[in-house]
Amino acid sequence: MNPPKHLYFLAGKIPLLFVFLLIVSCNSSKKEKESDEVDKIDRSYTSLVNPFIGTAPLTDPEFIGYTPPDGWRVWAGLVFPGSSLPNAMVQLSPITEYGTGAGYEYEDTQILGFTHTNKGHWNLCNIPILPLSGKAEAPFKSSFSHKNESASPGYYQVKLDDYGVNVRLTSTLRSGFHEYTYENETHRKILFDLAKANHGVSDWEIRQENENSVSGFQQVGGDKIHFYAETNINIKGLDLKGMGKKDGYSVLILEDGTGPVNLKIGLSFVSVSNAEENMKTEIGDSGFEEIRTRAKDAWEKLLSTIEVLGGNEKQDEMFYSSFYRSFLWPALRSDVNMEYKDVNGEIQKKDFNYYTNPSFWDTYRNKLVLLSIVSPDVTTEIIKTLIDKGENTGFIPTFFHGDHAAPFIAGTYLRGNTEFDVEMAFELLLNNAYKEDGPRPHIKEYIEKGYISDPDVENPKVETKAKAGVSKTLEYAYDDYSLAQMAKALGDEEKYEDLIKRSKNYKNVFDTSTNFMRGRLENGDWISPFDTEQPYYEYMYREANAWQVSFFAPHDMPELVKLYGGADNFEEKLDSLFTLPWNPDHIARNVASFIGQYSHGNQPAHEAPFSYYFVDKPEKSQEIIDNILENFYGVGEDGLALSGMDDAGEMSSWYVFSAMGLYPLSPADPEYLVTVPIFDKVLWNLPNGKTFTINKANEGRTLKQIMVNDTELQGYFISHDLFQKGGEVEVITK
C-alpha cells in the first residue's frame, strides 16, 4: 500500500523510520475504525424481513413425507403478510379464502377483502373491507398479481386489477389506515363485508354516523368487535343488503373526486365509542406516510434488540423474518382508555394492557421465553391478564393441550420478573394442578395413577377420539416440574416435594420392553397391538406417533437416558429417530416434513434434535440442527414455505434461538443450551441497557469449547444471568 500523498513531502525532512511508523499507525487506526463499524453496523432490520415467508404451500410429496389427498393443503406456515405492530390488536391483511389458517394463501389469485385481526388458527379475520369501482357486483373479489404486491413490517400494498385500485395499508396498535388510489376517480365505493370472517358470524351491524364516517360491529362467537371508520371523501350513501344476515353486506358510495381515498378505522372489543377514541388517539390527523413510518420505527426498535453478523443473505432474511413473526401474538385487547371486557363479558378498567391468551401448547417451548427477554413489559401485562382471568374463573387459562402457563409464568419469575402478583399466580396455578374441572382434563386419574389411560380401541386410526393419555402425562409431568420450581423459590416445601415427585410421572408411560413412551389401559396394561410409527391426533399421542414423543423429558434428560438402558442405547434409539424412513401411507395433515421419523412440521418433537447433548455428542445434534435451519425454512418453488404451521410464532422462534446458538430446552429453567450459531457474531441489546454477545471464532460446525467471560464453561448450559448482567460467550469449534 502506498503512503498518503502528504507523506512524500515529509519524507525528505524526517527520519524514514518515523514515516514507516506513521504509515503503520494510520493503517492500524483505519482497521480499528473498520472493525468498530462492523461491530456497530448501521442497517435497516425491517428491510431484511419478508412477510410472505410462510404464506406458500408445501407441494413436494417427497419433502412432505406423503402424497396429500386431493383437495388437501398441508398445514404449513399459515401466516399473514399484512400490517401489524408488535402484539397489536389490529393485524390488517388481505384475505384470499375464508375458513383457512390465516386467510391468505400465496397460490391464490383473487383477493376478497382486507381484514383487521389475525392469528393463523382458522379464526379471526374480522371486519373485511374492500375498495370497489364502477358497477362491481357480488360476489366481490378482484384478481391480483404478486408482481404488483409488496409487504414489510407495518406495511402492505397490492394492485386490485379488476377494480383498478392500488391499495396501501398500515396500522397502529388498535387502528388501521387504508389508502386507495383509483384509476377511475368516479363511482368509487368501499365494501364492508361484515357477514364474513374466518369463523361464523352470528350478527353484524353498520350505520352511517355523519357525512364521512360509519360505525358498527361484528359478532363472532363470544367476541363482539366494534369499529369506527372515517374517510377523507364524503359518503353519498350506504347501500345496505340484509343487515345482520349471513348473506348480507354494505357498500359505502363515495363522492367523485381526485386523489387517494383514505380510510382510517379503529377497533375495540368494548364499544364503538372506544373504537373511535382508539382511532383518533393513535392516528388522528396524521397522514399515511407518518403512520407507516411510526410502524416501521416500532419494528426497527424491536428487531434491533438482536444484531447478527456474518450470515449469508438467506440466513439474514430468515432470521429477521422469524424474529418478526415471533412478535405478532398474543394480541392486545384493551383500549387506549385501558378498558377491556373480562372473561365474564364485563367491562373493566385497570392499570395494565389486556391481551389474548398465548398459544401455550406451541409457544411455551421457545417463543414465550423470547418474549420475556425482548419485551419484559408486555410479558408482565400478559401474565397480569392471565391472573385477571384466573381470578374470575379460579384457574389460569391454557390453550389446546397441557397446562403450559406453568412453565411460562414460573420461567418468567425465575428469570427475575416479579412485576406481577406472584403469590396469586402461584395459587391459581396450583388450582390448575390439583383441582378438577379446570384446564387439566383427567387430572384426578393423573394424580391417583401417575398417568392418564386411553381406551382399548380396535384398529385405531389417525382421527380416533380418545384422551391422548401419553402426551398429557408427559406434558403434565413437565408442568408439575415447572410449578415445583416456583414452589421452591417461594419456600413452599410441601408443594415442591409433591410436584417434583409428580414430575417423574413420565416414567409411568415409558415401556422398557420397547423403549417407547406407550399408552396404557385403565387397568395399567400396555395398549396392544402397538404401532410405533402410526400418528394419531388424540389416541395415546397428541398429533404425533410414539417416536416423536419418546424423547420428551426436558427437565430430567439424564434420567431419561437411564430409562433407555444407558447412553449407548439412548444414542442408538435417537439415531433411529432421524434415520428410520417415514411410511408414506401414514397421513396426518399437521404431521409432515420429516428427517426419518422426526417431524419438524409440528411441535411435539422439537426438543429431540438437542438430545444428543445428553450422551455428550453435541456434534450429532448440530448436524440435525444445521439440516433443519438450512432446509426446513424458506422452502418450495418460491422459497416462501415453512415445513409446518408457524403456530403463533413457535416455528419462527425455534429458528431464532437455534440460529443464534442458544435454546431454552427447559423453558421453566433460567438457562440455555449452547449450540453452534450460524452467525459469526450475535449481539443482544437488552432492555436493561446491557449487552450480551455470542461470538463464533471458527468456521467449523463441531463444538469444541464454550468460553463464558473468558472462563471455560463446564457443561453445555449458560445461565440467564448473562441476559441480566451482560457478558460474552465464545463458541469455539473445529
Side-chain angles (χ1 to χ4, degrees):
M1 176 184 247
N2 292 327
K5 288 183 179 180
H6 67 274
L7 289 181
Y8 285 113
F9 173 75
L10 293 171
K13 298 184 178 182
I14 58 179
L16 187 60
L17 177 60
F18 179 80
V19 174
F20 173 75
L21 292 174
L22 187 59
I23 294 169
V24 171
S25 176
C26 288
N27 288 341
S28 176
S29 296
K30 183 179 180 182
K31 288 178 180 177
E32 288 175 4
K33 182 179 180 182
E34 289 174 347
S35 177
D36 288 343
E37 287 173 351
V38 169
D39 287 348
K40 300 175 182 178
I41 187 168
D42 185 18
R43 70 202 303 192
S44 168
Y45 297 97
T46 54
S47 68
L48 298 172
V49 174
N50 184 349
F52 292 103
I53 291 174
T55 63
L58 287 177
T59 57
D60 181 4
E62 185 174 345
F63 183 86
I64 295 168
Y66 52 81
T67 300
D70 290 341
W72 266 38
R73 190 185 197 266
V74 175
W75 290 347
L78 304 187
V79 302
F80 63 92
S83 174
S84 178
L85 265 61
N87 300 107
M89 180 184 294
V90 167
Q91 299 84 34
L92 178 48
S93 192
I95 188 160
T96 63
E97 184 178 353
Y98 289 101
T100 59
Y104 179 94
E105 298 185 338
Y106 193 78
E107 67 273 25
D108 290 342
T109 59
Q110 294 179 320
I111 285 176
L112 309 179
F114 302 98
T115 65
H116 293 77
T117 61
N118 212 302
K119 181 189 178 186
H121 274 155
W122 296 275
N123 59 356
L124 301 178
C125 294
N126 299 112
I127 319 295
I129 295 176
L130 183 70
L132 309 175
S133 64
K135 297 181 180 180
E137 295 180 348
F140 301 103
K141 56 189 174 182
S142 174
S143 58
F144 75 106
S145 168
H146 295 305
K147 294 178 181 179
N148 294 317
E149 182 185 38
S150 60
S152 60
Y155 177 73
Y156 174 84
Q157 172 275 327
V158 69
K159 171 74 178 300
L160 299 179
D161 294 331
D162 293 348
Y163 300 134
V165 183
N166 187 63
V167 176
R168 299 204 303 160
L169 309 173
T170 188
S171 58
T172 64
L173 285 173
R174 303 169 180 87
S175 302
F177 197 137
H178 301 234
E179 181 195 85
Y180 307 143
T181 301
Y182 289 77
E183 292 178 355
N184 186 343
E185 295 185 323
T186 61
H187 304 293
R188 297 178 297 181
K189 305 171 185 177
I190 302 175
L191 169 72
F192 277 66
D193 210 3
L194 298 175
K196 296 186 177 69
N198 227 5
H199 200 264
V201 176
S202 59
D203 194 14
W204 62 271
E205 179 181 291
I206 187 171
R207 61 179 178 272
Q208 186 169 347
E209 295 278 355
N210 52 47
E211 64 184 8
N212 71 339
S213 66
V214 294
S215 66
F217 69 83
Q218 189 180 56
Q219 182 82 43
V220 181
D223 286 334
K224 192 173 187 178
I225 305 95
H226 306 268
F227 68 88
Y228 175 89
E230 65 179 32
T231 72
N232 62 329
I233 305 296
N234 286 347
I235 303 168
K236 290 199 302 183
L238 185 63
D239 185 9
L240 189 56
K241 306 290 186 184
M243 188 159 73
K245 296 182 178 179
K246 293 186 179 300
D247 57 352
Y249 61 86
S250 60
V251 176
L252 277 60
I253 302 170
L254 304 179
E255 289 185 354
D256 295 340
T258 60
V261 172
N262 293 334
L263 185 142
K264 303 173 182 180
I265 179 169
L267 260 58
S268 169
F269 286 75
V270 175
S271 67
V272 165
S273 60
N274 279 14
E276 180 180 3
E277 184 180 5
N278 289 342
M279 187 274 288
K280 290 185 174 179
T281 301
E282 294 183 348
I283 297 180
D285 296 329
S286 299
F288 186 91
E289 288 302 330
E290 182 179 347
I291 299 302
R292 179 185 176 184
T293 298
R294 286 188 211 164
K296 178 182 177 182
D297 290 347
W299 280 112
E300 289 287 350
K301 181 179 179 181
L302 188 147
L303 295 172
S304 66
T305 304
I306 308 175
E307 300 178 61
V308 296
L309 300 170
N312 60 39
E313 184 177 345
K314 179 185 176 182
Q315 290 168 338
D316 285 350
E317 179 184 63
M318 193 56 62
F319 180 85
Y320 284 104
S321 298
S322 298
F323 192 10
Y324 160 78
R325 192 65 68 189
S326 300
F327 284 81
L328 296 172
W329 193 266
L332 184 64
R333 285 295 180 262
S334 54
D335 297 321
V336 292
N337 63 7
M338 307 304 287
E339 288 185 345
Y340 63 90
K341 279 191 177 179
D342 66 17
V343 292
N344 296 320
E346 299 296 324
I347 298 174
Q348 305 289 347
K349 185 174 183 178
K350 296 190 178 178
D351 62 351
F352 60 89
N353 283 312
Y354 195 80
Y355 286 85
T356 60
N357 294 336
S359 187
F360 280 122
W361 188 65
D362 315 297
T363 60
Y364 86 95
R365 306 163 195 270
N366 46 42
K367 181 261 195 60
L368 292 178
V369 177
L370 187 63
L371 179 77
S372 72
I373 299 171
V374 174
S375 299
D377 292 341
V378 173
T379 302
T380 297
E381 293 185 316
I382 291 168
I383 294 176
K384 287 182 176 181
T385 299
L386 296 172
I387 293 170
D388 182 89
K389 294 175 181 179
E391 289 175 327
N392 279 285
T393 65
F395 301 96
I396 294 285
T398 191
F399 172 79
F400 189 62
H401 204 256
D403 183 22
H404 303 317
F408 170 49
I409 294 175
T412 300
Y413 174 61
L414 294 172
R415 287 177 173 84
N417 187 333
T418 59
E419 299 300 313
F420 57 92
D421 190 338
V422 177
E423 294 286 351
M424 179 56 69
F426 179 60
E427 179 183 330
L428 291 167
L429 286 171
L430 287 176
N431 288 348
N432 288 18
Y434 286 93
K435 293 184 178 180
E436 295 185 78
D437 301 319
R440 292 204 196 189
H442 315 294
I443 187 63
K444 184 174 184 290
E445 180 182 26
Y446 173 79
I447 292 172
E448 291 175 353
K449 296 180 179 178
Y451 66 89
I452 295 171
S453 65
D454 270 289
D456 191 0
V457 177
E458 186 176 354
N459 299 320
K461 304 292 190 295
V462 172
E463 299 85 0
T464 294
K465 302 289 186 182
K467 300 180 186 177
V470 175
S471 292
K472 280 188 174 66
T473 302
L474 297 176
E475 293 179 36
Y476 289 179
Y478 182 70
D479 299 329
D480 289 340
Y481 169 83
S482 303
L483 194 51
Q485 304 315 302
M486 196 171 183
K488 184 177 182 181
L490 292 172
D492 191 332
E493 190 65 25
E494 180 181 352
K495 284 294 185 287
Y496 169 76
E497 291 294 340
D498 187 50
L499 288 164
I500 205 68
K501 180 181 178 182
R502 283 168 44 169
S503 76
K504 304 290 185 179
N505 282 344
Y506 72 90
K507 296 181 179 182
N508 296 332
V509 290
F510 188 84
D511 175 14
T512 55
S513 71
T514 62
N515 276 1
F516 281 105
M517 300 291 179
R518 183 175 180 179
R520 305 187 78 153
L521 301 173
E522 285 190 2
N523 65 6
D525 290 347
W526 297 112
I527 287 178
S528 185
F530 180 45
D531 185 347
T532 62
E533 297 179 34
Q534 173 66 53
Y536 300 104
Y537 290 146
E538 55 182 293
Y539 184 63
M540 295 192 286
Y541 314 109
R542 173 57 92 176
E543 298 183 1
N545 69 9
W547 282 97
Q548 292 154 7
V549 305
S550 289
F551 300 91
F552 184 85
H555 57 300
D556 206 22
M557 290 300 290
E559 286 298 310
L560 181 63
V561 171
K562 290 179 183 178
L563 274 185
Y564 275 90
D568 290 344
N569 287 350
F570 185 84
E571 181 182 358
E572 182 180 354
K573 196 61 169 272
L574 202 53
D575 288 344
S576 297
L577 170 69
F578 293 111
T579 57
L580 181 66
W582 183 260
N583 183 341
D585 292 331
H586 289 157
I587 299 175
R589 197 165 196 160
N590 51 349
V591 183
S593 308
F594 301 99
I595 304 174
Q597 293 293 304
Y598 171 80
S599 167
H600 198 67
N602 207 12
Q603 282 71 34
H606 275 188
E607 293 78 15
F610 305 95
S611 297
Y612 284 111
Y613 272 77
F614 298 94
V615 293
D616 203 28
K617 295 289 180 68
E619 67 277 7
K620 282 193 166 185
S621 278
Q622 198 61 54
E623 184 178 351
I624 300 297
I625 294 165
D626 286 348
N627 182 5
I628 295 169
L629 291 171
E630 180 65 24
N631 299 309
F632 286 72
Y633 289 82
V635 299
E637 182 179 350
D638 300 299
L640 298 177
L642 296 177
S643 54
M645 282 181 64
D646 192 46
D647 275 318
E650 190 279 342
M651 189 78 71
S652 291
S653 295
W654 194 101
Y655 187 96
V656 170
F657 272 118
S658 299
M660 288 190 298
L662 298 177
Y663 198 77
L665 187 70
S666 173
D669 290 311
E671 63 181 17
Y672 309 88
L673 183 69
V674 177
T675 62
V676 180
I678 61 175
F679 302 105
D680 295 337
K681 183 172 185 175
V682 178
L683 178 65
W684 285 76
N685 302 301
L686 297 164
N688 61 9
K690 305 288 186 179
T691 58
F692 168 42
T693 305
I694 305 167
N695 288 309
K696 179 170 68 71
N698 314 87
E699 292 300 317
R701 302 299 299 162
T702 299
L703 183 62
K704 180 182 177 183
Q705 188 180 36
I706 303 167
M707 304 292 292
V708 179
N709 295 331
D710 297 322
T711 300
E712 183 174 2
L713 179 69
Q714 302 302 310
Y716 299 113
F717 286 87
I718 61 168
S719 169
H720 185 73
D721 286 348
L722 287 162
F723 285 99
Q724 295 174 313
K725 301 174 183 177
E728 182 176 2
V729 168
E730 185 174 11
V731 178
I732 301 170
T733 61
K734 59 182 179 180

